[in-house]
Structures are given as structure tokens and as C-alpha cells.
Amino acid sequence: MKFFEANFDGLVGPTHNYAGLSIGNVASLNNAKNTSSPKQAAKQGLQKMKSLSELGLIQGVLAPQERPDVYTLRRLGFTGTDSEVISKAAKQAPAVLKAVCSASSMWTANAATISPSADTADGKIHFTPANLTNKFHRSLEPLTTGRILKAMFSDDKYFAHHQHLPDNDHFGDEGAANHTRLCSDYGKAGVELFVYGRYAFDSSKPAPKRFPARHTLEACEAVARLHGLSENAAVMMQQNPDVIDQGVFHNDVIAVGNQNVLFFHEQAFVDTQVKLDEIRRKFGSAADLHFIEVKTSEVSVSEAVKTYLFNTQLVTLANGDMAIIAPTECRDSATVSAYLEQLTGRGTPIRQVHYFDVKQSMQNGGGPACLRLRVAMSEAEHQAVNPAVLMNESLFVRLNQWVDTHYRDQISEADLADPQLLIESRQALDELTQILKLGSVYQFQRD
């Protein structure tokens, strides 16, 4: 049976804006209050999806969240019609309004952690939505994320869905942005790397001092239990607190893995050598592993954060070559582009680099890897996926038309207080659920 890894990219939502909500995310803070282009952002994302599909990869679409989230505003005491609720929030709590308008669900690497059937005890693909407790605007996502994932992967013969972890920082879970999987082949048992920033119940352990560590060891352990992973199928690795304080808010900003390759910066982890030895031991055929470690002398942490060298996708093409899917910011950096050029000639499995313009996402703090959720699957599991969410020429054209119909060319901070934005967003999402055949996943459709 054929096995492969599919990518499900987040469709940028109609309220895409630069509110600077993510403390610890340098790009997000640097571009706060700039004017955004939801239409351009969505089209850039769709173009990347189509291009990866044309490279022979299985590519899907993950729908955005409903925003503004007036249900949360009502929970916070704002009353009246939807228009009145938004107006009151804009006047009395503008920071809260900005948070409930966030389109951050576009970064589907944070949507969930996924373990393929080759790794799990019951032989099913397991999904656990991330609770994203560290940031208020992202903590609003997991319930709807769970509904969307169930609508995409609905066949319980192949797919198992879990509730997100308890909504508390002790079990802070940032999803697949802090998770990667190494394997000799997508259909064979692999080693899942769970990366955490801190210990929730032991303050004596290393932790960052400037920016928050969003993901805990305890969350990693809980997800591994929920997914039925054996001791040999998981490695718990702590992110270096010093790089978190330099703006590396998720592990996928400093490391990326695919099959038998782990591409990472030398400052990425605590106890690096000990953990690499554990991976070798659990991987089984250590001779086939490629650990590609980037030295600080080659690319600094600050340059890696600026260009998102590691927030790239590492994918396996039909001919067996691995390719890096990088933002154009990597190409535009003399240091990073020179490194990538020599990397492809070093005899590792990485032989190609493809650059994509995702500037609207990059300026808000998310590169190509942030935009996608990976699912390793068999051909039978692929056939069980909701076919309406899988990218092809017809869906690409249809979604671009949908964006042209419903998205604004620009959104400023002041525009978030416009009640018409909610109406436009709901109209767009209602039509989208019909295009993607998701059913009633949004609260406004269920009331």
C-alpha cells in the first residue's frame, strides 16, 4: 500500500489584520498596527497550496475561524445586538476586540497534534486540537478547530479525535508547531519528537526569562498518552530557553524534520547530544538518519528568525528528493540563500529549494511551516478524507473566486470596529462550508 504525507494549509480568514497580539513573536510585534490585505494574504496562501499540489504532493485546505468572535464578547459582558456588542467592545475594550478579530487560525501548525496510524496502538490516525492557552486570541480556537477536523476526517474506521487538553497553562499545548516525526518511510513506525518550553510543575528547571514558554512537558506527555504511543515512539525534547528569549516562540522557528532528516540550529535544544542519541536508539536504523545542524557561525539565530529559515516545509517529492519550501525572505538574505545553495549540494536528502511569496503571513509572524498541518497517511486513509477539502485546479479557481467576492483589499485597526465586517465574514464562511462540504461547524450556523 502506498503511504505519503499530506499537507493541510490554513485558508487565511476575512479579518486578517496586524494587531501585534503575539508577545514573543518578533515579526508580529514589529508590524503591529500596519494595514493588512486579507485578499492578498488568502491568494498568496492558495497559490502556495496549488504549487505544492503541482509538485505532486497531497494538499488540502483547512477552513478559518469565525471572526469577530461575538460569542466571546457576550461571555465578557457586552450586550445588545451583534452590532451593539462590537461597538461597545471597540469603545470600552479595544484590545479585547482586536483579539477576537484575530485571523491567527491561518497558522494550522498550531491547530492540532497528529499521530499517524503506523505509530498508534489502535492503528488509527489520532488528532488532538491544541488548546493554545498562552495567548487569549488563540485560546478561542480549539472547539471550532475540533469540529472542522472531524468534518474533514470523519470516518471513525481510520480517524480518532480527542478533546483538547484542559484550558490551563500547566497543559499549554501549541500543537504541531512543537512536534515533528522522523521515520524511514511514512507507512512505517516512526519516532515522534515532542518539544516543550518548560516544566509546569517544577520551577527549578530551565525556563526563558524574557518571553513565555508556551508549551509544557506535561502537555507533550498527555498527548502522547492520548494517541497511544509506545515509549519507543516518542522523544521529549526541551527547547533552549535562550532562543525562546530571542524570538523563537515555537520549535518550528528553529528546527524542521521529515522522514529521516532533522534540520535544526545548534542552539535549538537543551541537552542536544543526549536527545540525538535517544532518537538514534529509538529510530532503529541510525545509519539512515541525517542530522543537519546549522552552526551559529553559518546562520545566526536572529537571521534564522528574520528569514524563517527553519519555518520552512521539508517535503519529499515523487522522485524521492527532499525539497525545502521557503519564503522569499530566505532568498533575499545573502547569508541564508548562500547556506541553502550549498546545502543542496552536500549529499544529504535535501536537494531542492523552492521559494514562495507569503509576505502577508510573514509580516504577522508565520512562514510556510506555520501555514500547514501535516498528516502522514495511507492511500486507504486518503480515500476516507473529505474529498471537497483536497486541492485541485477546480477548487483553486473556486476559492479564488470566493476570495474575490467576500474579502476586503485592506483592513486597518479601525476597520475591526465596523459591524459590517462580521456580516461579510459570516456570509463568506457560510458559503465556504458549502464549497468544502463541512456542514455546520461555526457557532452562527448552529444557533
Side-chain angles (χ1 to χ4, degrees), residues 23-50:
I23 302 300
N25 182 327
V26 175
S28 172
L29 297 178
N30 286 346
N31 290 288
K33 299 187 177 183
N34 287 355
T35 298
S36 67
S37 174
K39 183 176 291 185
Q40 184 182 36
K43 286 178 172 287
Q44 286 176 352
L46 285 168
Q47 185 58 56
K48 181 174 87 73
M49 296 183 221
K50 180 172 183 284

Side-chain angles (χ1 to χ4, degrees), residues 8-19:
F8 293 84
D9 279 34
L11 187 56
V12 179
T15 64
H16 166 63
N17 68 91
Y18 297 139

Side-chain angles (χ1 to χ4, degrees), residues 67-379:
R67 296 292 181 266
D69 184 351
V70 293
Y71 301 96
T72 292
L73 291 178
R74 292 184 184 280
R75 285 183 64 196
L76 297 175
F78 297 102
T79 59
T81 64
D82 288 341
S83 177
E84 290 168 343
V85 164
I86 292 170
S87 178
K88 289 176 182 178
K91 293 175 182 176
Q92 299 172 28
V96 174
L97 178 63
K98 287 193 293 183
V100 303
C101 289
S102 173
S104 55
S105 66
M106 63 195 280
W107 298 309
T108 55
N110 297 120
T113 301
I114 299 172
S115 295
S117 55
D119 296 352
T120 62
D122 62 2
K124 297 181 180 182
I125 300 177
H126 283 246
F127 299 80
T128 298
N131 60 25
L132 302 171
T133 57
N134 190 257
K135 297 288 178 285
F136 168 63
H137 66 288
R138 302 225 61 180
S139 72
L140 307 178
E141 298 175 19
L143 286 175
T144 301
T145 297
R147 291 188 198 126
I148 293 171
L149 289 173
K150 288 176 182 176
M152 296 168 64
F153 306 95
S154 61
D155 191 336
D156 60 11
K157 177 182 177 182
Y158 297 104
F159 310 121
H161 295 270
H162 303 280
Q163 183 181 356
H164 63 279
L165 298 183
D167 296 298
N168 184 279
D169 229 20
H170 282 70
F171 291 95
D173 177 13
E174 296 286 307
N178 285 329
H179 174 270
T180 195
R181 177 177 184 262
L182 302 178
C183 60
S184 58
D185 183 84
Y186 291 127
K188 294 182 179 178
V191 179
E192 300 190 24
L193 312 184
F194 291 81
V195 182
Y196 60 95
R198 66 182 179 91
Y199 294 72
F201 294 96
D202 190 347
S203 60
S204 70
K205 298 291 187 179
K209 297 178 174 61
R210 181 185 179 197
F211 291 137
R214 306 182 184 189
H215 205 129
T216 67
L217 168 64
E218 292 78 1
C220 294
E221 293 172 334
V223 171
R225 284 191 296 269
L226 286 168
H227 291 192
L229 302 183
S230 70
E231 176 68 22
N232 282 330
V235 174
M236 306 293 161
M237 306 176 72
Q238 185 172 11
Q239 193 176 355
N240 180 359
D242 291 338
V243 298
I244 294 177
D245 282 338
Q246 293 178 65
V248 181
F249 52 99
H250 291 133
N251 180 62
D252 67 2
V253 180
I254 203 74
V256 61
N258 175 54
Q259 290 189 315
N260 62 337
V261 173
L262 182 62
F263 179 46
F264 64 100
H265 196 277
E266 68 172 337
Q267 295 187 48
F269 307 112
V270 173
D271 295 330
T272 302
Q273 195 55 54
V274 171
K275 290 300 176 180
L276 295 183
D277 288 344
E278 183 181 351
I279 294 170
R280 287 190 186 97
R281 186 173 69 254
K282 293 181 175 181
F283 192 83
S285 51
D288 296 331
L289 271 172
H290 294 264
F291 292 140
I292 303 175
E293 183 179 52
V294 180
K295 301 295 184 182
T296 305
S297 58
E298 294 174 306
V299 180
S300 68
V301 171
S302 62
E303 191 69 9
V305 172
K306 177 183 175 183
T307 62
Y308 274 9
L309 167 61
F310 298 97
N311 197 247
T312 50
Q313 292 176 247
L314 186 55
V315 300
T316 300
L317 304 178
N319 65 359
D321 286 356
M322 286 194 195
I324 286 179
I325 308 301
T328 52
E329 283 78 358
C330 287
R331 182 194 61 197
D332 297 340
S333 163
T335 300
V336 172
S337 61
Y339 176 85
L340 289 173
E341 183 176 354
Q342 62 86 18
L343 173 63
T344 57
R346 271 170 45 179
T348 75
I350 301 175
R351 296 187 175 92
Q352 299 182 33
V353 179
H354 299 267
Y355 295 103
F356 289 88
D357 180 2
V358 288
K359 282 186 172 59
Q360 283 288 319
S361 176
M362 287 286 288
Q363 289 172 357
N364 220 5
C370 284
L371 288 164
R372 63 93 173 94
L373 186 66
R374 300 186 286 181
V375 186
M377 60 177 64
S378 68
E379 185 58 45

